Amino acid sequence: MNAIKISPHHPKISHSFIKIIVFSLFLFLFILKEAIAFPVGERHFVVTEVSAEKRNADHQDKLRITIWYPALNGSHEQSLDIGPVSDPRFKPGSAAPDAPFFDTQRRPVILLSHGFGGSARIMAWFGTALAREGYIVIAPDHPGNNSLDPMTLGGALLFWKRPEDLATALHAAETEPLIREHLDLSRVGVSGFSAGGFTSLSVAGARVDLSKLLAFCKAHPADGVCAPQKEFPISYETSASFFKKPEIISDVSLADGDMQIPEVKAAFVMAPALVQSFNQISLRQIKIPVTIIAGDSDITAPPSTNADIAASLISGSQIYHLPKVTHYDFLSECGPYAITHLDICHSLQNRRKTHQYTIDLALRFFHKALTVR
């Protein structure tokens, strides 16, 4: 075969060559655009959630929601630091308040649930990282069980109400004019840490058997999940008494209900807690892809009684154990004061590296499970 000499004097070949160059340039720019992380925008909403009445200290039926999303280039991000400006206790990252969306493209959605006594913002290290890669992340502050409001027995013990918060948050985003046109509801995932990991598995289809958890904690009072929590210490006796209150009995009777969110197609679970509360048959019946990550130095939600149990029962699930990683390494990075004075900021491994590994794993998982285009 003879080689074709390309010459500007050969109009047919020259035209084809130009088309190839133009296409190659377009492809390069497209790949470059996809490779560059988006700025992150942040919006806040307050919506009605009936079940919040028995959990909020002020008995209001309100639920706060934070949304992170790909923002318009040039959006000015601000620090999301928690605590004093001069020495923040936590450094979750940054986002641009109320920034315009990057474009009108519909994007995959991740529901994000914080841990016991946490907040949406303290999980911003994870939520904003996903938003930089093109996801829209919707994260509520669970009523009566967050670091911004007074903690309550209802917020701590009516933990099976948490999935309702995610369902309400998703519905609120679907009906919010500034948000809904950007949501691809055919590609919805869920993620959560600790009690948020419980929430994620509930949303995936696991169902609660409260008597099973009470029996486990009575037999294993020193287990990290059963022992009084740092954020809001509650004894076994207090819990058992609370569940017998006349005004709570109706809620307890609904604990084993179906909390699944049909739109959710995949679950990425970080250091799950309260796994002993699940009916094991329901864990076996989970059909969506599930990936679990846990630290092997976690004594708060020990993998042996939580993450490992879930992974062994959920068909096709994958579990990753991180060496020398503790439970609270899945919170945001800490400031200097907190590292010195707060137990939850004492890490055996570099927390930033733990976060990056977790983010990379979550992105690979969701890209595959939600078939990101």
Side-chain angles (χ1 to χ4, degrees):
M1 181 182 294
N2 295 328
I4 298 177
K5 183 179 181 180
I6 299 175
S7 166
H9 301 294
H10 194 309
K12 183 177 180 181
I13 295 178
S14 176
H15 180 66
S16 299
F17 180 68
I18 291 173
K19 288 173 68 177
I20 292 172
I21 292 296
V22 171
F23 176 77
S24 298
L25 181 60
F26 172 81
L27 183 62
F28 171 77
L29 290 174
F30 176 80
I31 293 173
L32 184 63
K33 169 180 169 290
E34 292 299 306
I36 297 175
F38 296 100
V40 175
E42 179 183 79
R43 293 176 185 264
H44 299 277
F45 300 93
V46 178
V47 300
T48 298
E49 167 53 54
V50 174
S51 71
E53 291 181 2
K54 292 184 179 179
R55 293 181 287 158
N56 278 322
D58 59 8
H59 303 295
Q60 295 292 308
D61 59 351
K62 302 301 181 185
L63 177 71
R64 285 193 306 272
I65 302 167
T66 298
I67 299 181
W68 294 294
Y69 53 90
L72 192 66
N73 285 335
S75 297
H76 178 63
E77 294 189 15
Q78 299 178 12
S79 168
L80 300 179
D81 288 356
I82 299 171
V85 175
S86 59
D87 186 8
R89 301 301 185 251
F90 298 97
K91 303 175 72 64
S94 62
D98 301 317
F101 276 76
F102 179 80
D103 55 20
T104 59
Q105 179 179 334
R106 290 188 180 273
R107 299 186 179 278
V109 178
I110 305 298
L111 304 175
L112 178 60
S113 176
H114 65 74
F116 187 97
S119 66
R121 176 156 288 191
I122 207 165
M123 295 303 296
W125 67 269
F126 185 81
T128 59
L130 268 59
R132 291 191 196 285
E133 297 299 325
Y135 293 85
I136 295 174
V137 180
I138 302 173
D141 289 322
H142 293 290
N145 191 221
N146 66 75
S147 59
L148 305 177
D149 303 319
M151 295 274 281
T152 68
L153 280 176
L157 296 176
L158 296 176
F159 53 87
W160 58 89
K161 299 292 186 181
R162 285 169 145 259
E164 296 179 25
D165 300 336
L166 293 189
T168 296
L170 178 60
H171 178 70
E174 291 174 22
T175 56
E176 170 55 48
L178 294 174
I179 304 296
R180 63 188 179 196
E181 65 183 21
H182 301 281
L183 306 176
D184 185 344
L185 297 177
S186 69
R187 296 185 290 166
V188 179
V190 67
S191 188
F193 158 64
S194 191
F198 158 86
T199 310
S200 300
L201 292 173
S202 297
V203 162
R207 299 175 76 151
V208 168
D209 181 345
L210 187 58
S211 63
K212 180 174 177 291
L213 177 64
L214 291 172
F216 174 81
C217 285
K218 188 173 183 179
H220 304 88
D223 182 89
V225 169
C226 302
Q229 302 300 299
K230 298 175 186 293
E231 300 86 350
F232 189 57
I234 305 170
S235 68
Y236 171 85
E237 291 74 20
T238 299
S239 300
S241 175
F242 175 81
F243 292 134
K244 294 177 182 177
K245 287 186 174 183
E247 65 271 27
I248 300 299
I249 289 176
S250 61
D251 296 289
V252 173
S253 69
L254 299 174
D256 63 352
D258 184 3
M259 305 297 174
Q260 190 170 6
I261 298 178
E263 292 91 342
V264 169
K265 303 296 192 299
F268 183 82
V269 182
M270 296 174 273
L274 295 164
V275 172
Q276 292 293 333
S277 71
F278 286 131
N279 176 311
Q280 293 194 352
I281 293 175
S282 70
L283 286 169
R284 292 192 179 98
Q285 291 175 338
I286 290 177
K287 301 300 183 186
I288 65 174
V290 174
T291 285
I292 301 171
I293 187 170
D296 70 1
S297 296
D298 187 341
I299 60 173
T300 302
S304 61
T305 54
N306 290 279
D308 293 349
I309 299 296
S312 70
L313 294 171
I314 301 172
S315 177
S317 65
Q318 294 185 315
I319 185 166
Y320 296 81
H321 294 92
L322 303 187
K324 296 184 179 180
V325 167
T326 69
H327 190 69
Y328 294 105
D329 284 336
F330 293 100
L331 295 180
S332 64
E333 293 183 53
C334 300
Y337 175 91
I339 290 174
T340 303
H341 294 86
L342 300 182
D343 289 346
I344 61 176
C345 288
H346 295 168
S347 297
L348 302 175
Q349 291 278 28
N350 182 296
R351 189 170 290 195
R352 181 173 297 179
K353 290 182 178 179
T354 299
H355 287 179
Q356 193 58 58
Y357 182 88
T358 303
I359 291 164
D360 291 345
L361 186 64
L363 287 171
R364 289 198 302 271
F365 171 72
F366 282 130
H367 275 47
K368 181 179 179 180
L370 302 180
T371 57
V372 172
R373 295 188 292 271

